[in-house]
Every structure is written in structure tokens, then in C-alpha cells.
């Protein structure tokens, strides 16, 4: 009788313990793989924690890029307040907008809201380069323009096609006032076709026009 009781007790103990150490280890391994699936397998589900971290890092990189674009931006050009006639003329053509410092300043303010102010800054830097005659100054300014707006490592890189980039790379062997002429024209055309129509419909332009119109009426 005592032997049979011990046998029953042993059976009940075995029924309540894990099947085998190997099975327990397999369950533990499965649990770990489930919590870090994308770290150990080729596929990755949208709820994976690693994917969430990756998305957060990409968003942080984009935000940092925009913050860097806002740093070190030169002050707007000094200019008298635009007249109503000047602001109306901006609507006639992009060339008339870009001819006046007040027009460029207003357009820059709009480009900043679209995170594309580097296009205007690049264009202005090219204009300044054309005014230089000292060889050493030209080489230094050309180098800075390349680092700030052409290099793919710069957060202020402008959008240029491969042909123009090849021209720039050749020109940089012996920089001159006209090293970036092709690139400047391409960016000018981009601003004209892409940003200028939106600027004309923006609150920045409409508010300025309305303010000057009201002042003109009061006078």
C-alpha cells in the first residue's frame, strides 16, 4: 500500500511539471523570437518595436535637417518697404519679383515656410560670386558654395540634375565667377515654375498686397 501511494504521488508530480527541459527551452526561445522578430528573421511586421524605433529615427533626422537649414541663414537684404506698384508688378512676372530686394525678401519668407529657402540662398550666393574679381576670394567662395549647396552631405543641398553636377565638378578644378552658372539657371527656373505660382496665391503675398492697398486708400 505504501508503495502504491508513492507511485500515485510521483505520477501527480510529473503531471504538473514541464514536459522536458528541451521543451521549456524551446518555449523560451520562441518567446524571445516573437518579441524581436525583425532582429532574427527576414520579415518584419508593422507593429514591430524595431520598426517603430527606425521610423522615429528617420523623423528625427528630417526634423534635424530642417533645424539645420534654419541655422546660419544670412539676414534678409536691406531694402525700403515695397510700394503698392512694386507688389503689383511682382504678379506680372517672376523676373520683376527677383529684380527688387523687397521682392526677394518676401519670396524668401515664403520659401522658408516650404523648407526650400536654400534655393534662394544659393541663387544669391552665385550672384555675389559674380561680383568678385580676386582669384583667392573667388576660390574660397566657390568652395563654400559647393559645400553648402552642392555637396550631398549638406542639409541645404539644392536639387540639380546629374549633367549640371558634372559641369560643376569640372569647373571646380579652376573656380571662376561663372562656376555655378548652369546650376544657378536651373534653380532659377525651378523657383519660377514650382514656387512662384504658389507664392502668388500665398497668404504672405495677399496680406502684403491688402495692407498696402488699404494704406493707399487711406492716403
Amino acid at each position: 500500500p505504501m508503495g502504491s501511494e508513492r507511485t500515485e504521488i510521483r505520477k501527480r508530480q510529473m503531471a504538473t511539471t514541464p514536459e522536458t527541459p528541451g521543451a521549456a527551452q524551446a518555449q523560451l526561445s520562441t518567446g524571445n523570437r516573437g518579441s524581436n522578430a525583425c532582429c532574427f528573421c527576414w520579415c518584419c511586421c508593422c507593429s514591430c518595436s524595431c520598426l517603430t524605433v527606425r521610423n522615429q529615427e528617420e523623423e528625427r533626422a528630417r526634423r534635424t535637417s530642417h533645424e539645420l537649414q534654419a541655422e546660419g541663414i544670412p539676414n534678409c537684404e536691406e531694402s525700403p518697404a515695397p510700394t503698392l506698384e512694386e507688389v503689383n508688378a511682382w504678379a506680372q512676372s517672376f523676373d520683376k519679383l527677383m529684380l527688387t530686394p523687397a521682392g526677394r525678401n518676401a519670396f524668401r519668407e515664403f520659401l522658408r515656410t516650404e523648407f526650400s529657402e536654400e534655393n534662394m540662398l544659393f541663387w544669391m550666393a552665385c550672384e555675389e560670386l559674380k561680383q568678385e574679381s580676386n582669384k583667392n576670394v573667388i576660390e574660397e567662395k566657390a568652395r563654400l558654395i559647393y559645400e553648402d549647396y552642392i555637396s550631398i552631405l549638406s542639409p541645404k543641398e539644392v536639387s540639380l540634375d546629374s549633367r549640371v553636377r558634372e559641369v560643376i565638378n569640372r569647373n571646380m578644378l579652376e573656380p571662376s565667377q561663372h562656376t555655378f552658372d548652369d546650376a544657378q539657371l536651373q534653380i532659377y527656373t525651378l523657383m519660377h515654375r514650382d514656387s512662384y505660382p504658389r507664392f502668388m496665391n500665398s497668404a504672405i503675398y495677399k496680406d502684403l498686397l491688402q495692407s498696402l492697398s488699404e494704406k493707399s486708400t487711406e492716403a
Side-chain angles (χ1 to χ4, degrees), residues 1-205:
M2 291 293 294
S4 61
E5 288 179 2
R6 291 196 186 96
T7 300
E8 290 297 326
I9 292 172
R10 188 174 303 156
K11 287 181 180 180
R12 286 196 294 270
Q13 289 175 341
M14 292 178 65
T16 58
T17 57
E19 297 175 3
T20 63
Q25 185 176 1
Q27 291 177 353
L28 179 60
S29 176
T30 302
N32 289 339
R33 188 166 61 250
S35 63
N36 297 283
C38 71
C39 300
F40 300 101
C41 68
W42 293 104
C43 61
C44 184
C45 66
C46 62
S47 61
C48 172
S49 60
C50 291
L51 181 60
T52 302
V53 171
R54 191 181 308 121
N55 289 338
Q56 290 174 345
E57 290 176 347
E58 291 175 355
E59 177 62 28
R60 190 180 303 113
R62 285 193 295 269
R63 188 165 57 249
T64 301
S65 175
H66 291 154
E67 290 169 354
L68 285 172
Q69 288 183 16
E71 294 177 359
I73 292 176
N75 294 328
C76 290
E77 299 174 82
E78 292 184 4
S79 68
T83 64
L84 179 59
E85 290 74 20
E86 285 179 327
V87 175
N88 279 321
W90 299 348
Q92 296 173 12
S93 73
F94 183 61
D95 291 339
K96 290 184 177 181
L97 169 71
M98 292 290 283
L99 278 175
T100 64
R104 292 192 293 270
N105 286 339
F107 191 50
R108 273 185 65 183
E109 183 182 352
F110 169 74
L111 292 177
R112 191 177 298 129
T113 67
E114 294 196 335
F115 302 105
S116 59
E117 187 181 15
E118 65 274 5
N119 290 330
M120 176 64 82
L121 295 177
F122 170 69
W123 184 88
M124 292 171 61
C126 292
E127 287 295 294
E128 291 180 6
L129 180 64
K130 291 177 182 178
Q131 308 303 316
E132 296 295 341
S133 57
N134 184 288
K135 187 175 184 295
N136 292 331
V137 174
I138 289 173
E139 290 179 352
E140 177 63 14
K141 285 195 172 184
R143 182 185 64 80
L144 291 174
I145 290 173
Y146 189 95
E147 291 177 355
D148 286 345
Y149 305 108
I150 309 301
S151 171
I152 60 174
L153 300 178
S154 173
K156 296 186 290 185
E157 177 196 6
V158 296
S159 179
L160 300 170
D161 62 36
S162 58
R163 180 192 65 81
V164 171
R165 286 184 174 276
E166 289 175 3
V167 171
I168 292 174
N169 289 333
R170 288 198 302 268
N171 291 343
M172 286 299 292
L173 297 175
E174 292 185 14
S176 72
Q177 300 100 317
H178 305 288
T179 292
F180 304 100
D181 281 4
D182 287 353
Q184 186 186 20
L185 177 59
Q186 190 168 93
I187 293 303
Y188 188 90
T189 304
L190 175 65
M191 291 191 293
H192 182 190
R193 295 178 178 176
D194 184 60
S195 303
Y196 174 63
R198 290 197 299 275
F199 169 70
M200 298 310 304
N201 290 313
S202 70
I204 291 176
Y205 176 74

